[in-house]
Amino acid sequence: MTQLDIPPVRTVPPAQRPRRRPNIRILSVLAVVFVLAAWYVLTDLLRVVPELYFPSIASTIEAGQTLGVNLALDFGSTAYRMLFGWVLGCALGILVGLIMARSRIVYFSANPLIEILRPVPPIALIPFTILWFGLTDTQRIALSALPCFMTLAVTTMEAAKNVNPLFVRAAQSLGATPNQIYRTVVLRAILPNLVASLRIAAALAWAVVVSAEYLGAQNGIGYLILQASNSLNTSVVLIGTATVTIGAFVFDQILRLITKFLTRWVDRMA
Amino acid sequence: MPTPTGRKPARVVVSGLTVTMHLKDRSFDAVQDASFTIEPGQTLAIVGPSGCGKTTLLNVLGGFTRPTAGEALIDGDPVGAPDESRATVFQADAVFPWLTVRGNLEYGPRIRKAQDAASRARVEHFLSVLGLEQFADEFPKVLSGGMRKRVDVGRAYVSDPRAILLDEPFGALDEITKEQLQDELVTLSASDPKTLVFITHDIEEAIYVGDMVAVMTPRPGRIRKILDIPFARPRPENLRMEPEFQELRREIQSLLRSE
């Protein structure tokens, strides 16, 4: 009998220890270090870029020292307005979204208004809101609440409509009233779908508050940036921008941790 | 283990029940003239092919669908909107994923603000008899399909209804897990008697869990025959292999074939 000389086809690779993936996190660090180094070389060292266009590291640090506690106070004002507007807008948005999912009358009357108003850039409403509320914190808070409200109203409504009807039936057959079903089933079931919207709304609220502070505010990061920009003090402009960026980033991370805890029951891929 | 005392099981009476469904171009009777009586604490298994109207029948008992004619009575009262008098266990996973296993079992008493020593004892009792103790504080996402079904059944029992309606509860499980759960259900119905309505398309399952088996055939959905199941509870070992069991099985099979 002739032996066919065919090498065995290996369809499954032999068991082996999983290959260790090279640690590429170092790339992230290197990227940041590279940008900082380029900044230093182009401004402080070679002085290729004039201070007016982009401040040097040395003058930025100096400006930071001069601002001192005032920077913290300005950031505090901005953060207070943002937080207030975000909480207010999100809470109202969730409430209206839930009601729209529940009542056809409310849905058909409120939905077209929301759909028409949603694309209006909040910043375009600055003149009107100043007329209505004056140059007050109320005006800035209302303005930042608006995009949060729009985002959350739409996502909440969609999420509430998509709650698995079996959960509702199960709750009914265990004796839950409609209000209890809303509290113990619908609100819990939609939370994972709201997480992304809550974070997007926060980013919008920061942007809107800083823009609102450009007009008529007496403090806040937006006020600081505009004042410095009028006197061509680019290092303060940079510090203001960096402060609000870091603030928004830290807030987003906190939000991420809180929502991750609240949705720890979700079966995730990773 | 002593069973914490529960509510008295209900007497379920269905008479002349018809449910007409309306489609775009025609109407048909999903259930036609169904009648039966389940004595308190007894189990009626309803077996039939998919589309024979058995889920519709269960939905009427649950209060999710209104009958077109006839009536369904729980202890003499016509069934109304869904409430805690009858708990439903669905085929698909309806365990609340945002509550722990214990949280799911406690849901019924908690929602009715009836959490007390007795209800807590019931929770611990059913955690224990269903083998869920070690998972009590876990979220359902870590559980297998069989364990989730145990949570579902436990939640219905802790709620202490007068009847439990099960809609192909073990239909999605593998054969071994399914038989384990059938045994557990039979044991539960002895220690904590509830009137059970058990929908299935599995003939052996119907005979194993039922005191009576109603055989349903589709288009229109009619109950062909109701058979008494004579076997002792708890079910003797290897009951499924016994000649009488197989004889019943053959009878139901031929009833289903001779539409």
Side-chain angles (χ1 to χ4, degrees), chain A residues 163-164 166-177 180-181 183-186 188-189 263-268, chain B residues 59 64 82-84 86-88 90 92-99 107-108 110-113 139 141 155-156 159:
Chain A
V163 171
N164 185 348
L166 273 193
F167 290 151
V168 175
R169 286 182 166 202
Q172 281 179 316
S173 86
L174 295 167
T177 63
Q180 285 176 323
I181 289 172
R183 234 184 34 247
T184 63
V185 177
V186 178
R188 299 297 206 92
T263 59
R264 65 195 184 282
W265 50 271
V266 177
D267 200 1
R268 287 197 174 81
Chain B
N59 281 340
F64 301 113
D83 63 31
E84 76 275 11
R86 52 253 188 251
T88 306
F90 303 95
D93 191 1
V95 170
F96 299 137
W98 52 84
L99 295 178
Y107 184 84
R110 188 166 61 83
I111 210 78
R112 302 199 296 271
K113 299 181 176 65
F139 286 107
K141 68 175 177 181
R155 186 172 66 178
S159 170

Side-chain angles (χ1 to χ4, degrees), chain B residues 13-205:
Chain B
V13 177
V14 166
S15 62
L17 192 85
T18 297
V19 181
T20 308
M21 297 277 199
H22 300 281
L23 297 180
K24 248 181 265 164
D25 52 344
R26 66 199 172 88
S27 301
F28 68 100
D29 287 349
V31 178
Q32 194 179 68
D33 197 25
S35 298
F36 54 79
T37 298
I38 318 173
E39 295 302 330
Q42 298 271 296
T43 302
L44 173 73
I46 302 177
V47 67
S50 69
C52 73
K54 52 196 195 300
T55 295
T56 307
L57 183 51
L58 198 78
N59 281 340
V60 170
L61 290 173
F64 301 113
T65 304
R66 278 161 173 270
T68 312
E71 56 184 0
L73 307 170
I74 306 278
D75 282 336
D77 298 322
V79 295
D83 63 31
E84 76 275 11
S85 67
R86 52 253 188 251
T88 306
V89 178
F90 303 95
Q91 174 179 4
D93 191 1
V95 170
F96 299 137
W98 52 84
L99 295 178
T100 60
V101 168
R102 182 178 274 110
N104 266 283
L105 263 60
E106 284 169 347
Y107 184 84
R110 188 166 61 83
I111 210 78
R112 302 199 296 271
K113 299 181 176 65
Q115 264 182 307
D116 52 16
S119 83
R120 268 183 280 275
R122 281 181 77 77
V123 169
E124 297 311 316
H125 170 77
F126 286 106
L127 282 174
S128 151
V129 294
L130 291 165
L132 291 165
E133 272 165 326
Q134 70 207 75
F135 300 109
D137 297 312
E138 301 281 353
F139 286 107
K141 68 175 177 181
V142 305
L143 301 182
S144 65
M147 288 313 247
R148 282 179 196 221
K149 219 65 237 179
R150 289 185 172 92
V151 176
D152 227 336
V153 171
R155 186 172 66 178
Y157 267 96
V158 170
S159 170
D160 200 14
R162 289 185 289 167
I164 299 180
L165 314 172
L166 305 105
D167 188 4
E168 302 201 29
F170 311 145
L173 302 176
D174 63 86
E175 208 59 35
I176 297 162
T177 312
K178 195 196 253 187
E179 290 185 4
Q180 279 170 357
L181 277 158
Q182 290 166 3
D183 269 326
E184 286 170 27
L185 190 71
V186 170
T187 312
L188 276 181
S189 64
S191 66
D192 194 329
K194 297 283 175 200
T195 306
L196 303 184
V197 183
F198 190 106
I199 302 281
T200 180
H201 57 248
D202 179 334
I203 301 172
E204 284 198 4
E205 182 170 71

Side-chain angles (χ1 to χ4, degrees), chain A:
Chain A
M1 200 169 83
T2 45
Q3 193 80 44
L4 286 175
D5 190 22
I6 301 171
V9 181
R10 270 231 282 263
T11 51
V12 180
Q16 58 181 7
R17 278 199 296 166
R19 229 187 317 157
R20 282 191 54 191
R21 292 205 294 183
N23 193 346
I24 55 166
R25 291 213 173 164
I26 191 79
L27 274 180
S28 314
V29 178
L30 284 177
V32 174
V33 169
F34 174 78
V35 170
L36 288 176
W39 182 17
Y40 178 74
V41 170
L42 292 174
T43 58
D44 294 77
L45 202 62
L46 301 176
R47 303 194 175 280
V48 183
V49 180
E51 284 282 329
L52 183 60
Y53 293 147
F54 208 85
S56 65
I57 292 184
S59 69
T60 308
I61 291 172
E62 199 191 311
Q65 280 162 347
T66 318
L67 283 172
V69 77
N70 283 326
L71 181 66
L73 290 176
D74 277 323
F75 177 73
S77 306
T78 302
Y80 157 76
R81 292 162 188 153
M82 175 272 162
L83 216 62
F84 204 136
W86 178 76
V87 170
L88 186 76
C90 291
L92 284 176
I94 292 173
L95 190 70
V96 169
L98 285 177
I99 297 173
M100 282 204 296
R102 190 168 177 172
S103 154
R104 282 166 56 83
I105 295 172
V106 176
Y107 172 78
F108 280 106
S109 28
N111 196 48
L113 298 179
I114 288 182
E115 287 304 315
I116 290 167
L117 291 179
R118 206 152 57 96
V120 177
I123 297 165
L125 292 174
I126 289 180
F128 269 125
T129 53
I130 289 177
L131 284 174
W132 297 334
F133 300 105
L135 288 167
T136 57
D137 265 0
T138 315
Q139 179 254 334
R140 290 157 209 133
I141 288 167
L143 205 62
S144 64
L146 187 69
C148 302
F149 172 82
M150 295 293 178
T151 311
L152 267 296
V154 174
T155 1
T156 304
M157 180 188 69
E158 290 298 334
K161 281 183 175 175
N162 289 328
V163 171
N164 185 348
L166 273 193
F167 290 151
V168 175
R169 286 182 166 202
Q172 281 179 316
S173 86
L174 295 167
T177 63
N179 282 329
Q180 285 176 323
I181 289 172
Y182 254 72
R183 234 184 34 247
T184 63
V185 177
V186 178
L187 269 181
R188 299 297 206 92
I190 64 175
L191 190 61
N193 299 315
L194 298 193
V195 170
S197 300
L198 288 169
R199 290 174 66 187
I200 292 169
L204 291 171
W206 283 108
V208 171
V209 163
V210 172
S211 315
E213 285 170 350
Y214 283 171
L215 270 179
Q218 295 305 310
N219 51 28
I221 295 290
Y223 167 78
L224 179 77
I225 292 176
L226 197 78
Q227 293 293 308
S229 147
N230 285 341
S231 56
L232 302 181
N233 189 348
T234 45
S235 35
V236 171
V237 171
L238 182 63
I239 286 195
T241 312
T243 308
V244 77
T245 307
I246 293 168
F249 176 78
V250 169
F251 183 71
D252 188 58
Q253 293 301 308
I254 294 171
L255 206 55
R256 209 174 54 87
L257 286 178
I258 294 174
T259 50
K260 197 177 170 188
F261 175 76
L262 289 177
T263 59
R264 65 195 184 282
W265 50 271
V266 177
D267 200 1
R268 287 197 174 81
M269 296 246 288

